[in-house]
Amino acid sequence: MSGSAPRAVLQLSGELNIYRALELKQQLLDALAATDALEISLEGVSELDSSGLQLLIAVKQAALAEGKTLALLDHSAAVVEVIELFDLAAFFGDPLLMPCATL
């Protein structure tokens, strides 16, 4: 980890799906290698399929294996839907915006 930037932010936009997963894989792993803490903003992600989800899981696992931090930020509605569908919020450990309960 020495020589790495302490923190970096990467913004993803568009589709995070099977057609872009391979293209994005090296970009995400390179970004992780260059820092101790990578934050990925998902605000602009319009679609997330199982391949995109597998990519996020693989990057999270790589971060854990290297003793680094990965945080997913600004989840779009498409991202929240898939993370909730597969019950992976706890795995990623990132807060998702949840509607307030009414009393």
Side-chain angles (χ1 to χ4, degrees), residues 26-45:
Q26 197 58 53
Q27 180 183 354
L28 293 174
L29 292 175
D30 288 347
L32 180 63
T35 188
D36 295 334
L38 178 61
E39 297 178 351
I40 302 175
S41 174
L42 301 169
E43 179 177 35
V45 174

Side-chain angles (χ1 to χ4, degrees), residues 35-91:
T35 188
D36 295 334
L38 178 61
E39 297 178 351
I40 302 175
S41 174
L42 301 169
E43 179 177 35
V45 174
S46 59
E47 178 187 346
L48 178 66
D49 71 2
S50 60
S51 294
L53 183 60
Q54 287 174 344
L55 176 59
L56 294 176
I57 291 168
V59 175
K60 178 69 172 187
Q61 289 175 328
L64 293 171
E66 297 173 21
K68 297 184 177 191
T69 302
L70 174 73
L72 305 180
L73 308 174
D74 306 322
H75 305 76
S76 69
V79 172
V80 170
E81 180 181 4
V82 173
I83 288 177
E84 287 180 344
L85 177 66
F86 290 98
D87 196 23
L88 289 171
F91 170 77

